[in-house]
């Protein structure tokens, strides 16, 4: 009887952990979506301006990816870039 009670208790813990994990993933997805939108907007604007200035496609991709990634990380860490 005691083994069955322990098994039921253990299963309850597993179910609760799974529910908590699902809830945490939803919150992380919402948090990340905000930064994904900012990154995409930054990248598209940067790439358009870079290409209009006559730079090459590959150069603009690398430059804008690095610049926007830096801005995204600074925003997540609440650091002001100059």
């Amino acid at each position: 009887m005691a083994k069955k009670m322990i098994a039921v208790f253990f299963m309850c813990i597993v179910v609760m952990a799974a529910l908590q994990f699902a809830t945490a993933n939803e919150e992380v997805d919402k948090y990340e979506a905000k930064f994904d939108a900012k990154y995409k907007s930054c990248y598209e604007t940067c790439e358009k301006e870079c290409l209009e200035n006559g730079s090459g496609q590959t150069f603009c991709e690398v430059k804008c990816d690095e610049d926007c990634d830096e801005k995204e990380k600074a925003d997540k860490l609440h650091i002001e870039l100059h």
Side-chain angles (χ1 to χ4, degrees), residues 51-63:
L51 291 172
E52 287 175 355
N53 289 335
S55 298
Q57 177 71 28
T58 305
F59 172 80
C60 291
E61 286 179 8
V62 172
K63 176 192 174 296

Side-chain angles (χ1 to χ4, degrees), residues 13-67:
I13 291 174
V14 170
V15 169
M16 293 303 293
L19 292 174
Q20 181 63 29
F21 183 73
T23 304
N25 277 342
E26 290 175 12
E27 292 176 17
V28 168
D29 289 344
K30 289 178 186 176
Y31 179 78
E32 287 295 324
K34 177 179 82 170
F35 290 106
D36 288 344
K38 284 184 179 181
Y39 175 86
K40 184 177 180 181
S41 173
C42 173
Y43 183 84
E44 289 173 350
T45 304
C46 176
E47 186 177 37
K48 180 181 175 186
E49 291 173 359
C50 183
L51 291 172
E52 287 175 355
N53 289 335
S55 298
Q57 177 71 28
T58 305
F59 172 80
C60 291
E61 286 179 8
V62 172
K63 176 192 174 296
C64 294
D65 181 53
E66 289 177 357
D67 290 350

